[in-house]
Amino acid sequence: MMSIENIINEAWEKRDHVNQDSDQNLKDTVNQIINDLDSGKVRVAEKINGEWVTHQHIKKAIMLSFRIHGMETLAGPYSSWRDKSNILKGKTAGWGDKEFEQAGFRMVPNSPVRKGSFIGKNVVLMPCFVNIGAYIDTGTMMDTFSRAGSCCQIGKNCHISAGSGVGGVLEPAQALPTIIEDNVFLGAMSEVVEGVIVGEGSVLSMGMYIGQSTKIVNRKTGEITYGNIPPYSVVVPGSLPDKNNASAPSLYCAVIIKQVDEKTRSKTSINDLLRE
């Protein structure tokens, strides 16, 4: 028998021909992967030997799932919705006390969570949105109007503050999704997107916007990097002048104002870390 990964990769090469009438074996394989994502049995990306690795066939299965499922309408008391049938009704549709007790997370009203996303124990979901393929580990809070995009990975004991977004990276299949490691504080109204990695224990101030093209400046060393916030960094918004034209507008950047050790991070309040 072909492995699950081989079945998905073979179908991906012929994806223009994948549809609702495709082979049942393919449909069953895709649906199995979505169910395994939903339960946390598999995940789109994980840290292996200290490096984040993308499992491409799982991302491919998510994208193929949109081809093998048709559109469906869901009628509610105040509105109706129309989406792909595999995710329209959501992760917790039909759940009762037993299912929530087994899952072990808290979910307040108006928190759409797509099937195929994993929510760990002791997670708190305020009114937020969690998309397919996302993985939210134990003890994390998704605060009011925060968003977890497709396939993003959010670690243990994080606080994704009100209005903040962790961007989805579904395509291309080989691209690393956006990663928020354990014990990260993401300030209100911030956005981390495009597969950026925020290292463990970091604190990002309110209103941070970080993508792959954002310059990340270490104020102490002057080093400029992209796409990766080192562990235990304290980061605030800043700007860089144009060295060749003093009258030109300065450009936005993210500034690492300090890096602390794990002990300092655990014993120091967020506000104190952000003060100079």
PDB file of all heavy atoms in Angstrom, residues 102-135:
ATOM      1  N   GLN A 102     -13.252  16.754  27.804  1.00  0.00           N
ATOM      2  CA  GLN A 102     -12.145  15.953  27.277  1.00  0.00           C
ATOM      3  C   GLN A 102     -11.097  16.835  26.598  1.00  0.00           C
ATOM      4  O   GLN A 102      -9.898  16.616  26.746  1.00  0.00           O
ATOM      5  CB  GLN A 102     -12.677  14.919  26.290  1.00  0.00           C
ATOM      6  CG  GLN A 102     -13.460  13.786  26.945  1.00  0.00           C
ATOM      7  CD  GLN A 102     -14.058  12.826  25.927  1.00  0.00           C
ATOM      8  OE1 GLN A 102     -14.181  13.145  24.737  1.00  0.00           O
ATOM      9  NE2 GLN A 102     -14.426  11.630  26.387  1.00  0.00           N
ATOM     10  N   ALA A 103     -11.564  17.839  25.856  1.00  0.00           N
ATOM     11  CA  ALA A 103     -10.633  18.731  25.161  1.00  0.00           C
ATOM     12  C   ALA A 103      -9.886  19.621  26.146  1.00  0.00           C
ATOM     13  O   ALA A 103      -8.704  19.929  25.954  1.00  0.00           O
ATOM     14  CB  ALA A 103     -11.375  19.578  24.139  1.00  0.00           C
ATOM     15  N   GLY A 104     -10.571  20.083  27.192  1.00  0.00           N
ATOM     16  CA  GLY A 104      -9.905  20.795  28.275  1.00  0.00           C
ATOM     17  C   GLY A 104      -9.586  22.247  28.013  1.00  0.00           C
ATOM     18  O   GLY A 104      -8.737  22.829  28.700  1.00  0.00           O
ATOM     19  N   PHE A 105     -10.230  22.882  27.028  1.00  0.00           N
ATOM     20  CA  PHE A 105     -10.010  24.311  26.821  1.00  0.00           C
ATOM     21  C   PHE A 105     -11.295  25.099  27.041  1.00  0.00           C
ATOM     22  O   PHE A 105     -12.393  24.555  27.006  1.00  0.00           O
ATOM     23  CB  PHE A 105      -9.414  24.605  25.438  1.00  0.00           C
ATOM     24  CG  PHE A 105     -10.252  24.184  24.260  1.00  0.00           C
ATOM     25  CD1 PHE A 105     -11.272  24.986  23.783  1.00  0.00           C
ATOM     26  CD2 PHE A 105      -9.991  22.993  23.590  1.00  0.00           C
ATOM     27  CE1 PHE A 105     -12.034  24.617  22.685  1.00  0.00           C
ATOM     28  CE2 PHE A 105     -10.741  22.606  22.487  1.00  0.00           C
ATOM     29  CZ  PHE A 105     -11.764  23.419  22.045  1.00  0.00           C
ATOM     30  N   ARG A 106     -11.118  26.385  27.272  1.00  0.00           N
ATOM     31  CA  ARG A 106     -12.242  27.291  27.507  1.00  0.00           C
ATOM     32  C   ARG A 106     -12.489  28.101  26.240  1.00  0.00           C
ATOM     33  O   ARG A 106     -11.561  28.630  25.645  1.00  0.00           O
ATOM     34  CB  ARG A 106     -11.919  28.219  28.676  1.00  0.00           C
ATOM     35  CG  ARG A 106     -12.952  29.303  28.934  1.00  0.00           C
ATOM     36  CD  ARG A 106     -12.454  30.232  30.039  1.00  0.00           C
ATOM     37  NE  ARG A 106     -13.197  31.475  30.072  1.00  0.00           N
ATOM     38  CZ  ARG A 106     -12.747  32.603  30.594  1.00  0.00           C
ATOM     39  NH1 ARG A 106     -11.540  32.624  31.147  1.00  0.00           N
ATOM     40  NH2 ARG A 106     -13.484  33.702  30.587  1.00  0.00           N
ATOM     41  N   MET A 107     -13.738  28.194  25.846  1.00  0.00           N
ATOM     42  CA  MET A 107     -14.086  28.854  24.583  1.00  0.00           C
ATOM     43  C   MET A 107     -15.337  29.690  24.798  1.00  0.00           C
ATOM     44  O   MET A 107     -16.416  29.160  25.033  1.00  0.00           O
ATOM     45  CB  MET A 107     -14.319  27.795  23.503  1.00  0.00           C
ATOM     46  CG  MET A 107     -14.682  28.316  22.137  1.00  0.00           C
ATOM     47  SD  MET A 107     -14.900  26.884  21.028  1.00  0.00           S
ATOM     48  CE  MET A 107     -15.343  27.727  19.504  1.00  0.00           C
ATOM     49  N   VAL A 108     -15.191  31.009  24.728  1.00  0.00           N
ATOM     50  CA  VAL A 108     -16.338  31.884  24.951  1.00  0.00           C
ATOM     51  C   VAL A 108     -17.096  32.079  23.638  1.00  0.00           C
ATOM     52  O   VAL A 108     -16.594  31.760  22.562  1.00  0.00           O
ATOM     53  CB  VAL A 108     -15.892  33.240  25.543  1.00  0.00           C
ATOM     54  CG1 VAL A 108     -15.097  33.039  26.815  1.00  0.00           C
ATOM     55  CG2 VAL A 108     -15.091  34.042  24.539  1.00  0.00           C
ATOM     56  N   PRO A 109     -18.342  32.581  23.697  1.00  0.00           N
ATOM     57  CA  PRO A 109     -19.128  32.744  22.467  1.00  0.00           C
ATOM     58  C   PRO A 109     -18.433  33.614  21.427  1.00  0.00           C
ATOM     59  O   PRO A 109     -17.601  34.463  21.752  1.00  0.00           O
ATOM     60  CB  PRO A 109     -20.425  33.401  22.978  1.00  0.00           C
ATOM     61  CG  PRO A 109     -20.537  32.952  24.394  1.00  0.00           C
ATOM     62  CD  PRO A 109     -19.134  32.901  24.909  1.00  0.00           C
ATOM     63  N   ASN A 110     -18.809  33.370  20.168  1.00  0.00           N
ATOM     64  CA  ASN A 110     -18.303  34.125  19.018  1.00  0.00           C
ATOM     65  C   ASN A 110     -16.807  33.904  18.789  1.00  0.00           C
ATOM     66  O   ASN A 110     -16.068  34.844  18.486  1.00  0.00           O
ATOM     67  CB  ASN A 110     -18.616  35.611  19.154  1.00  0.00           C
ATOM     68  CG  ASN A 110     -20.095  35.882  19.244  1.00  0.00           C
ATOM     69  OD1 ASN A 110     -20.879  35.293  18.508  1.00  0.00           O
ATOM     70  ND2 ASN A 110     -20.496  36.763  20.156  1.00  0.00           N
ATOM     71  N   SER A 111     -16.380  32.655  18.916  1.00  0.00           N
ATOM     72  CA  SER A 111     -14.993  32.285  18.628  1.00  0.00           C
ATOM     73  C   SER A 111     -14.984  31.215  17.543  1.00  0.00           C
ATOM     74  O   SER A 111     -14.937  30.021  17.847  1.00  0.00           O
ATOM     75  CB  SER A 111     -14.306  31.755  19.889  1.00  0.00           C
ATOM     76  OG  SER A 111     -14.206  32.737  20.879  1.00  0.00           O
ATOM     77  N   PRO A 112     -15.045  31.603  16.277  1.00  0.00           N
ATOM     78  CA  PRO A 112     -15.014  30.596  15.210  1.00  0.00           C
ATOM     79  C   PRO A 112     -13.678  29.851  15.196  1.00  0.00           C
ATOM     80  O   PRO A 112     -12.621  30.463  15.106  1.00  0.00           O
ATOM     81  CB  PRO A 112     -15.195  31.425  13.928  1.00  0.00           C
ATOM     82  CG  PRO A 112     -15.700  32.758  14.373  1.00  0.00           C
ATOM     83  CD  PRO A 112     -15.163  32.963  15.746  1.00  0.00           C
ATOM     84  N   VAL A 113     -13.749  28.532  15.321  1.00  0.00           N
ATOM     85  CA  VAL A 113     -12.549  27.695  15.281  1.00  0.00           C
ATOM     86  C   VAL A 113     -12.778  26.630  14.218  1.00  0.00           C
ATOM     87  O   VAL A 113     -13.681  25.804  14.334  1.00  0.00           O
ATOM     88  CB  VAL A 113     -12.278  27.036  16.652  1.00  0.00           C
ATOM     89  CG1 VAL A 113     -11.033  26.160  16.576  1.00  0.00           C
ATOM     90  CG2 VAL A 113     -12.109  28.104  17.735  1.00  0.00           C
ATOM     91  N   ARG A 114     -11.951  26.645  13.184  1.00  0.00           N
ATOM     92  CA  ARG A 114     -12.161  25.756  12.057  1.00  0.00           C
ATOM     93  C   ARG A 114     -11.752  24.320  12.384  1.00  0.00           C
ATOM     94  O   ARG A 114     -10.766  24.086  13.093  1.00  0.00           O
ATOM     95  CB  ARG A 114     -11.337  26.233  10.863  1.00  0.00           C
ATOM     96  CG  ARG A 114     -11.835  27.551  10.267  1.00  0.00           C
ATOM     97  CD  ARG A 114     -12.590  27.276   9.002  1.00  0.00           C
ATOM     98  NE  ARG A 114     -13.223  28.443   8.455  1.00  0.00           N
ATOM     99  CZ  ARG A 114     -13.060  28.846   7.186  1.00  0.00           C
ATOM    100  NH1 ARG A 114     -12.251  28.194   6.383  1.00  0.00           N
ATOM    101  NH2 ARG A 114     -13.735  29.869   6.738  1.00  0.00           N
ATOM    102  N   LYS A 115     -12.507  23.380  11.836  1.00  0.00           N
ATOM    103  CA  LYS A 115     -12.106  21.975  11.927  1.00  0.00           C
ATOM    104  C   LYS A 115     -10.759  21.811  11.239  1.00  0.00           C
ATOM    105  O   LYS A 115     -10.494  22.417  10.203  1.00  0.00           O
ATOM    106  CB  LYS A 115     -13.151  21.075  11.269  1.00  0.00           C
ATOM    107  CG  LYS A 115     -12.822  19.583  11.401  1.00  0.00           C
ATOM    108  CD  LYS A 115     -13.945  18.725  10.875  1.00  0.00           C
ATOM    109  CE  LYS A 115     -13.571  17.243  10.928  1.00  0.00           C
ATOM    110  NZ  LYS A 115     -13.287  16.775  12.300  1.00  0.00           N
ATOM    111  N   GLY A 116      -9.902  20.976  11.834  1.00  0.00           N
ATOM    112  CA  GLY A 116      -8.555  20.821  11.311  1.00  0.00           C
ATOM    113  C   GLY A 116      -7.545  21.683  12.031  1.00  0.00           C
ATOM    114  O   GLY A 116      -6.373  21.714  11.662  1.00  0.00           O
ATOM    115  N   SER A 117      -7.992  22.401  13.069  1.00  0.00           N
ATOM    116  CA  SER A 117      -7.075  23.139  13.937  1.00  0.00           C
ATOM    117  C   SER A 117      -7.017  22.435  15.282  1.00  0.00           C
ATOM    118  O   SER A 117      -7.972  21.775  15.690  1.00  0.00           O
ATOM    119  CB  SER A 117      -7.540  24.586  14.117  1.00  0.00           C
ATOM    120  OG  SER A 117      -8.844  24.628  14.704  1.00  0.00           O
ATOM    121  N   PHE A 118      -5.896  22.574  15.979  1.00  0.00           N
ATOM    122  CA  PHE A 118      -5.738  21.924  17.277  1.00  0.00           C
ATOM    123  C   PHE A 118      -5.683  22.964  18.380  1.00  0.00           C
ATOM    124  O   PHE A 118      -4.952  23.959  18.282  1.00  0.00           O
ATOM    125  CB  PHE A 118      -4.474  21.077  17.325  1.00  0.00           C
ATOM    126  CG  PHE A 118      -4.223  20.493  18.696  1.00  0.00           C
ATOM    127  CD1 PHE A 118      -4.993  19.438  19.163  1.00  0.00           C
ATOM    128  CD2 PHE A 118      -3.241  21.031  19.527  1.00  0.00           C
ATOM    129  CE1 PHE A 118      -4.786  18.914  20.435  1.00  0.00           C
ATOM    130  CE2 PHE A 118      -3.022  20.507  20.801  1.00  0.00           C
ATOM    131  CZ  PHE A 118      -3.804  19.452  21.257  1.00  0.00           C
ATOM    132  N   ILE A 119      -6.442  22.715  19.445  1.00  0.00           N
ATOM    133  CA  ILE A 119      -6.455  23.594  20.619  1.00  0.00           C
ATOM    134  C   ILE A 119      -6.049  22.753  21.830  1.00  0.00           C
ATOM    135  O   ILE A 119      -6.723  21.774  22.167  1.00  0.00           O
ATOM    136  CB  ILE A 119      -7.844  24.213  20.856  1.00  0.00           C
ATOM    137  CG1 ILE A 119      -8.416  24.817  19.566  1.00  0.00           C
ATOM    138  CG2 ILE A 119      -7.772  25.247  21.967  1.00  0.00           C
ATOM    139  CD1 ILE A 119      -7.641  25.970  19.021  1.00  0.00           C
ATOM    140  N   GLY A 120      -4.967  23.123  22.492  1.00  0.00           N
ATOM    141  CA  GLY A 120      -4.461  22.355  23.617  1.00  0.00           C
ATOM    142  C   GLY A 120      -5.245  22.602  24.894  1.00  0.00           C
ATOM    143  O   GLY A 120      -6.100  23.490  24.981  1.00  0.00           O
ATOM    144  N   LYS A 121      -4.933  21.814  25.900  1.00  0.00           N
ATOM    145  CA  LYS A 121      -5.607  21.935  27.193  1.00  0.00           C
ATOM    146  C   LYS A 121      -5.239  23.263  27.867  1.00  0.00           C
ATOM    147  O   LYS A 121      -4.138  23.778  27.709  1.00  0.00           O
ATOM    148  CB  LYS A 121      -5.237  20.772  28.099  1.00  0.00           C
ATOM    149  CG  LYS A 121      -5.810  19.433  27.623  1.00  0.00           C
ATOM    150  CD  LYS A 121      -5.545  18.329  28.617  1.00  0.00           C
ATOM    151  CE  LYS A 121      -6.087  16.990  28.109  1.00  0.00           C
ATOM    152  NZ  LYS A 121      -7.549  17.009  27.905  1.00  0.00           N
ATOM    153  N   ASN A 122      -6.221  23.784  28.608  1.00  0.00           N
ATOM    154  CA  ASN A 122      -6.071  25.038  29.358  1.00  0.00           C
ATOM    155  C   ASN A 122      -5.851  26.258  28.465  1.00  0.00           C
ATOM    156  O   ASN A 122      -5.418  27.311  28.953  1.00  0.00           O
ATOM    157  CB  ASN A 122      -4.932  24.927  30.382  1.00  0.00           C
ATOM    158  CG  ASN A 122      -5.195  23.840  31.408  1.00  0.00           C
ATOM    159  OD1 ASN A 122      -6.307  23.716  31.926  1.00  0.00           O
ATOM    160  ND2 ASN A 122      -4.182  23.041  31.706  1.00  0.00           N
ATOM    161  N   VAL A 123      -6.119  26.125  27.189  1.00  0.00           N
ATOM    162  CA  VAL A 123      -6.156  27.297  26.306  1.00  0.00           C
ATOM    163  C   VAL A 123      -7.434  28.081  26.600  1.00  0.00           C
ATOM    164  O   VAL A 123      -8.470  27.502  26.913  1.00  0.00           O
ATOM    165  CB  VAL A 123      -6.108  26.866  24.828  1.00  0.00           C
ATOM    166  CG1 VAL A 123      -6.454  28.024  23.890  1.00  0.00           C
ATOM    167  CG2 VAL A 123      -4.732  26.304  24.488  1.00  0.00           C
ATOM    168  N   VAL A 124      -7.342  29.394  26.497  1.00  0.00           N
ATOM    169  CA  VAL A 124      -8.516  30.257  26.640  1.00  0.00           C
ATOM    170  C   VAL A 124      -8.738  30.972  25.315  1.00  0.00           C
ATOM    171  O   VAL A 124      -7.846  31.681  24.828  1.00  0.00           O
ATOM    172  CB  VAL A 124      -8.342  31.288  27.772  1.00  0.00           C
ATOM    173  CG1 VAL A 124      -9.555  32.210  27.844  1.00  0.00           C
ATOM    174  CG2 VAL A 124      -8.138  30.583  29.107  1.00  0.00           C
ATOM    175  N   LEU A 125      -9.911  30.773  24.745  1.00  0.00           N
ATOM    176  CA  LEU A 125     -10.276  31.419  23.487  1.00  0.00           C
ATOM    177  C   LEU A 125     -11.330  32.478  23.779  1.00  0.00           C
ATOM    178  O   LEU A 125     -12.491  32.172  23.976  1.00  0.00           O
ATOM    179  CB  LEU A 125     -10.816  30.393  22.486  1.00  0.00           C
ATOM    180  CG  LEU A 125      -9.887  29.233  22.114  1.00  0.00           C
ATOM    181  CD1 LEU A 125     -10.611  28.253  21.199  1.00  0.00           C
ATOM    182  CD2 LEU A 125      -8.603  29.734  21.466  1.00  0.00           C
ATOM    183  N   MET A 126     -10.893  33.738  23.847  1.00  0.00           N
ATOM    184  CA  MET A 126     -11.837  34.839  23.882  1.00  0.00           C
ATOM    185  C   MET A 126     -12.418  34.969  22.464  1.00  0.00           C
ATOM    186  O   MET A 126     -12.031  34.199  21.587  1.00  0.00           O
ATOM    187  CB  MET A 126     -11.122  36.107  24.338  1.00  0.00           C
ATOM    188  CG  MET A 126     -10.477  35.980  25.714  1.00  0.00           C
ATOM    189  SD  MET A 126     -11.646  35.522  27.025  1.00  0.00           S
ATOM    190  CE  MET A 126     -12.515  37.075  27.241  1.00  0.00           C
ATOM    191  N   PRO A 127     -13.329  35.889  22.212  1.00  0.00           N
ATOM    192  CA  PRO A 127     -13.839  35.986  20.837  1.00  0.00           C
ATOM    193  C   PRO A 127     -12.680  36.187  19.856  1.00  0.00           C
ATOM    194  O   PRO A 127     -12.068  37.242  19.810  1.00  0.00           O
ATOM    195  CB  PRO A 127     -14.754  37.215  20.888  1.00  0.00           C
ATOM    196  CG  PRO A 127     -15.204  37.277  22.305  1.00  0.00           C
ATOM    197  CD  PRO A 127     -14.018  36.828  23.106  1.00  0.00           C
ATOM    198  N   CYS A 128     -12.345  35.139  19.131  1.00  0.00           N
ATOM    199  CA  CYS A 128     -11.169  35.136  18.267  1.00  0.00           C
ATOM    200  C   CYS A 128     -11.459  34.262  17.060  1.00  0.00           C
ATOM    201  O   CYS A 128     -12.560  33.713  16.940  1.00  0.00           O
ATOM    202  CB  CYS A 128      -9.949  34.617  19.029  1.00  0.00           C
ATOM    203  SG  CYS A 128     -10.100  32.892  19.570  1.00  0.00           S
ATOM    204  N   PHE A 129     -10.484  34.130  16.174  1.00  0.00           N
ATOM    205  CA  PHE A 129     -10.652  33.277  14.999  1.00  0.00           C
ATOM    206  C   PHE A 129      -9.439  32.386  14.856  1.00  0.00           C
ATOM    207  O   PHE A 129      -8.301  32.850  14.902  1.00  0.00           O
ATOM    208  CB  PHE A 129     -10.823  34.125  13.735  1.00  0.00           C
ATOM    209  CG  PHE A 129     -10.936  33.304  12.476  1.00  0.00           C
ATOM    210  CD1 PHE A 129     -12.103  32.625  12.181  1.00  0.00           C
ATOM    211  CD2 PHE A 129      -9.867  33.197  11.599  1.00  0.00           C
ATOM    212  CE1 PHE A 129     -12.210  31.847  11.025  1.00  0.00           C
ATOM    213  CE2 PHE A 129      -9.964  32.437  10.438  1.00  0.00           C
ATOM    214  CZ  PHE A 129     -11.146  31.756  10.169  1.00  0.00           C
ATOM    215  N   VAL A 130      -9.681  31.077  14.679  1.00  0.00           N
ATOM    216  CA  VAL A 130      -8.599  30.106  14.500  1.00  0.00           C
ATOM    217  C   VAL A 130      -8.848  29.346  13.201  1.00  0.00           C
ATOM    218  O   VAL A 130      -9.887  28.698  13.045  1.00  0.00           O
ATOM    219  CB  VAL A 130      -8.522  29.125  15.689  1.00  0.00           C
ATOM    220  CG1 VAL A 130      -7.385  28.132  15.468  1.00  0.00           C
ATOM    221  CG2 VAL A 130      -8.337  29.877  17.004  1.00  0.00           C
ATOM    222  N   ASN A 131      -7.906  29.414  12.280  1.00  0.00           N
ATOM    223  CA  ASN A 131      -8.106  28.842  10.951  1.00  0.00           C
ATOM    224  C   ASN A 131      -7.542  27.415  10.871  1.00  0.00           C
ATOM    225  O   ASN A 131      -6.789  26.968  11.724  1.00  0.00           O
ATOM    226  CB  ASN A 131      -7.447  29.727   9.895  1.00  0.00           C
ATOM    227  CG  ASN A 131      -8.191  29.690   8.568  1.00  0.00           C
ATOM    228  OD1 ASN A 131      -8.989  28.787   8.312  1.00  0.00           O
ATOM    229  ND2 ASN A 131      -7.930  30.667   7.716  1.00  0.00           N
ATOM    230  N   ILE A 132      -7.925  26.727   9.815  1.00  0.00           N
ATOM    231  CA  ILE A 132      -7.544  25.329   9.603  1.00  0.00           C
ATOM    232  C   ILE A 132      -6.020  25.181   9.598  1.00  0.00           C
ATOM    233  O   ILE A 132      -5.292  26.012   9.055  1.00  0.00           O
ATOM    234  CB  ILE A 132      -8.157  24.792   8.287  1.00  0.00           C
ATOM    235  CG1 ILE A 132      -7.905  23.278   8.145  1.00  0.00           C
ATOM    236  CG2 ILE A 132      -7.624  25.565   7.085  1.00  0.00           C
ATOM    237  CD1 ILE A 132      -8.680  22.660   6.990  1.00  0.00           C
ATOM    238  N   GLY A 133      -5.525  24.117  10.219  1.00  0.00           N
ATOM    239  CA  GLY A 133      -4.097  23.841  10.257  1.00  0.00           C
ATOM    240  C   GLY A 133      -3.358  24.506  11.396  1.00  0.00           C
ATOM    241  O   GLY A 133      -2.201  24.166  11.659  1.00  0.00           O
ATOM    242  N   ALA A 134      -4.011  25.462  12.090  1.00  0.00           N
ATOM    243  CA  ALA A 134      -3.348  26.129  13.204  1.00  0.00           C
ATOM    244  C   ALA A 134      -3.173  25.163  14.374  1.00  0.00           C
ATOM    245  O   ALA A 134      -3.973  24.250  14.572  1.00  0.00           O
ATOM    246  CB  ALA A 134      -4.158  27.346  13.646  1.00  0.00           C
ATOM    247  N   TYR A 135      -2.120  25.389  15.151  1.00  0.00           N
ATOM    248  CA  TYR A 135      -1.829  24.577  16.330  1.00  0.00           C
ATOM    249  C   TYR A 135      -1.592  25.533  17.489  1.00  0.00           C
ATOM    250  O   TYR A 135      -0.673  26.353  17.454  1.00  0.00           O
ATOM    251  CB  TYR A 135      -0.591  23.722  16.088  1.00  0.00           C
ATOM    252  CG  TYR A 135      -0.300  22.700  17.167  1.00  0.00           C
ATOM    253  CD1 TYR A 135      -0.619  21.357  16.985  1.00  0.00           C
ATOM    254  CD2 TYR A 135       0.318  23.074  18.365  1.00  0.00           C
ATOM    255  CE1 TYR A 135      -0.333  20.409  17.967  1.00  0.00           C
ATOM    256  CE2 TYR A 135       0.604  22.140  19.345  1.00  0.00           C
ATOM    257  CZ  TYR A 135       0.277  20.807  19.147  1.00  0.00           C
ATOM    258  OH  TYR A 135       0.552  19.870  20.118  1.00  0.00           O
TER     259      TYR A 135
END
